Amino acid sequence: RHGYGAKLANIYSLEFMIETADKTSEKKYSQTWTKNMSQVGKAKITKNSRGEEYTRVTFKPDLPRFGMQYIDADTASLLRKRVYDMAGTAKDVKVYLNDERLKIKNFKQCVEMYLDAAAADAKENSGGAAQAKPTVIYEQISPRWEVAFATSDGTPQHVSFANSISTIKGGTHVTYIADQIAKNLIAAITKKNKGATVKPAQIRNHMWIFVNSLIENPTFDSQTKETLTLPASKFGSKPSLSEEFMKKVQKSSIIEQVLNWAKFKADQQIKKTDGSKRNRLTGTAKLSDANNAGTKHAEKCTLILTEGDSAKSLAVAGLAVVGRDNFGVFPLRGKLLNVREAKHDQIMKNEEIQNIKKIMGLQHNKEYANIPSLRYGRLMIMTDQDHDGSHIKGLLINFLDHFFPSLLKIPEFLVEFVTPIVRVTKGNQHRNFFTIPEYERWLEATPDSKKWTAKYYKGLGTSSDADAREYFGRMSKHMIPFATMEEGDRDLIDLAFSKKKADDRKDWLRQFKPGTYLDHNIEEIPYSDFINKELILFSMADNIRSIPSVADGLKPGQRKVIWGCFKRKLKKEIKVAQLVGYISEHAAYHHGETSLAATIVNLAQNYVGSNNINLLKPNGQYGTRDQGGKDHASPRYIYTEVMPLTRMICHPADDPLLKRQTDDNLLVEPEWYMPVVPLVLINGAEGIGTGW
């Protein structure tokens, strides 16, 4: 099959002449064919006294056969391109066009020529505006392989050669190089990407690859040789790009281009989940929709977002007072996603966020100057008055600030519904307190405070239906709007929720002054006050409960367990499930029974990698190293007791000197124990808080 190209050129030529010179035999050979190879001239062999070495093919194409009178501009350009390609890909060969030697002497210059031509074309299409020329990254991998990289305009491009043959459709040699670059870039892009998922194919869309290769016995898809089909394993050499080349590629604009594409794609996908202003909304579980939501009276409607189902029950009970025409209720499941650093897939799969958008009728990237286009004219947050409730409020503000900042500039769009955290009663009298510092000040200022009975409302579920009707009956007392966004507020929200601001949060928390709290006896809450006076309390509490104390190496939950065991004077083993109930009752443990049981189990585990000194005894199956202790038996099946060593480490003689804490009017565990050996070093310490 070799030689078809020359034979076909001969057949379609009026005259075809071949000349070749060989210095070894010192001979020259020439022969001419005419009239489409039908007439064969006599071969001539002459002496090669100069010792030349060359092969020259000269032909006159039979243009009328192709319906042509002369070589048109397009064909001439194609022939000219092939000559320039030859100059750029054939090493140590002088290439002439119309008796003039071309200035292109290597592959890198050939690449520059392509990029110059693309920039000139872009300039012409933009009405003469100057266009930036992409930076070229070039590498000669070996004598057989030369590769160059530049960024494309969003469509995959390549210029490739196999044995100086222009493979205009690419092939396995281009794929091999492009895959190496894409694989290297995917890791760097994934770290920075918050948009749509990026796959290697999307990265290749932004690459312009140049390949000049020498392949052993290449195979192509057809006689036109537009695509190389030879498997990479048979190339005869392995082209591996250097680490330095990859670093230069990463520093180019391709990562930014891909991230911009991912953000654009993410915006398109998020837009598909947009809400709209319509009266009836179906398919949203647990939503108690306002009758006027999505109607011409929508501006008067308020959506109440509650912390869990029990809080929704409280809000629904309160609707008996204000009615259901202008109030809707939707419960949040736990804490809202921190969208500031979340990836696109997380946001798309988060049902809470998608539901809020649909219920409110929010539209992505829309600038809101007013609220007539929304299903609800106001958003009200109703959470527990504890630290986690403050965090949920902050996460919702963070969501609105990140996606819909214009809404926070609308007066009284966002409001919070406050409920008492402490209620004191004496006979028929009662008084509500919305913060602990406020209650503590009242205790100090009231001589007969002991005659009043205090009740702590840790969660909204503590309030009765009668309480709900009272709250909603005095709506102006309990509903406080947030002030419109002011300069610097967005920076504070970013400080509180951006993962990049961990060190700044450390400085923020260091400036905290004990006794700080947000006074709810105000007409509106500035976002700066919410961050610096309420959310900061959550951050401080988060560190206290998440990071073990240096003094005794224990977290508050663990300390409650140890103190409860000491208080009960535990001498014999007790079922873990029973101990959970005792700790909850006597140590004012405010979280779930499951987490408390897990705390007890962790204190008793003694496999390698858990505790060097386990303070409780593991009587039963407490898990193995294989599963990290997660394969322990159910708390109702396993027992525990205090290790004899524990009371020696936390000596009872120290108890009178320790600072006891008060919670729910109960005297509970000390602020910390003072063990005789440093437990924080023996068992190690691990915890993730805010800033630390």
Side-chain angles (χ1 to χ4, degrees), residues 561-575 578-579 582-583 600 615-617 639-644 647:
V561 171
I562 298 301
W563 175 82
C565 292
F566 292 166
K567 177 179 169 62
R568 184 166 175 144
K569 297 180 180 176
L570 205 58
K571 302 293 183 184
K572 298 180 180 178
E573 66 178 16
I574 182 174
K575 197 177 283 186
Q578 287 178 284
L579 183 59
Y582 182 84
I583 301 298
I600 295 170
L615 301 178
L616 300 180
K617 190 177 286 187
Y639 292 77
T640 191
E641 57 187 294
V642 178
M643 290 285 288
R647 217 31 176 147

Side-chain angles (χ1 to χ4, degrees), residues 292-320:
N292 290 331
T295 67
K296 61 182 180 180
H297 303 296
E299 290 183 56
K300 300 176 182 176
C301 293
T302 300
L303 176 66
I304 306 172
L305 292 178
T306 65
E307 183 184 345
D309 292 343
S310 59
K312 181 193 172 183
S313 301
L314 181 75
V316 169
L319 295 186

Side-chain angles (χ1 to χ4, degrees), residues 368-425:
Y368 289 94
N370 46 44
I371 52 178
S373 61
L374 298 175
R375 290 189 76 246
Y376 284 86
R378 187 160 55 182
L379 189 61
M380 186 163 83
I381 316 170
M382 190 173 179
T383 64
D384 296 345
Q385 291 302 110
D386 60 4
H387 299 309
D388 286 313
S390 299
H391 192 212
I392 291 170
K393 292 176 205 171
L395 287 166
L396 185 64
I397 291 169
N398 178 56
F399 163 69
L400 293 172
D401 174 67
H402 190 65
F403 284 118
F404 310 100
S406 55
L407 287 174
L408 300 181
K409 296 177 183 177
I410 298 173
E412 298 194 3
F413 170 77
L414 186 65
V415 298
E416 76 161 308
F417 192 90
V418 295
T419 54
I421 192 167
V422 180
R423 173 178 287 176
V424 293
T425 56

Side-chain angles (χ1 to χ4, degrees), residues 575-645:
K575 197 177 283 186
V576 169
Q578 287 178 284
L579 183 59
V580 165
Y582 182 84
I583 301 298
S584 295
E585 179 185 356
H586 293 275
Y589 188 85
H590 299 300
H591 306 284
E593 293 179 359
T594 305
S595 64
L596 181 54
T599 300
I600 295 170
V601 168
N602 290 340
L603 284 167
Q605 287 171 332
N606 62 357
Y607 59 83
V608 175
S610 56
N611 299 299
N612 288 316
I613 296 179
N614 49 305
L615 301 178
L616 300 180
K617 190 177 286 187
N619 296 347
Q621 292 300 322
Y622 272 72
T624 62
R625 186 182 183 185
D626 280 351
Q627 301 295 320
K630 293 180 181 178
D631 51 347
H632 62 81
S634 172
R636 65 181 183 272
Y637 297 134
I638 52 180
Y639 292 77
T640 191
E641 57 187 294
V642 178
M643 290 285 288
L645 190 62

Side-chain angles (χ1 to χ4, degrees), residues 117-165:
D121 191 44
K123 181 178 179 180
E124 185 179 338
N125 292 335
S126 63
Q131 300 294 313
K133 180 181 156 186
T135 303
V136 181
I137 300 163
Y138 167 85
E139 178 172 62
Q140 181 170 347
I141 300 173
S142 69
R144 293 189 177 194
W145 287 86
E146 291 179 277
V147 174
F149 166 90
T151 53
S152 77
D153 57 359
T155 54
Q157 296 184 65
H158 67 267
V159 175
S160 59
F161 303 91
N163 301 2
S164 293
I165 297 168

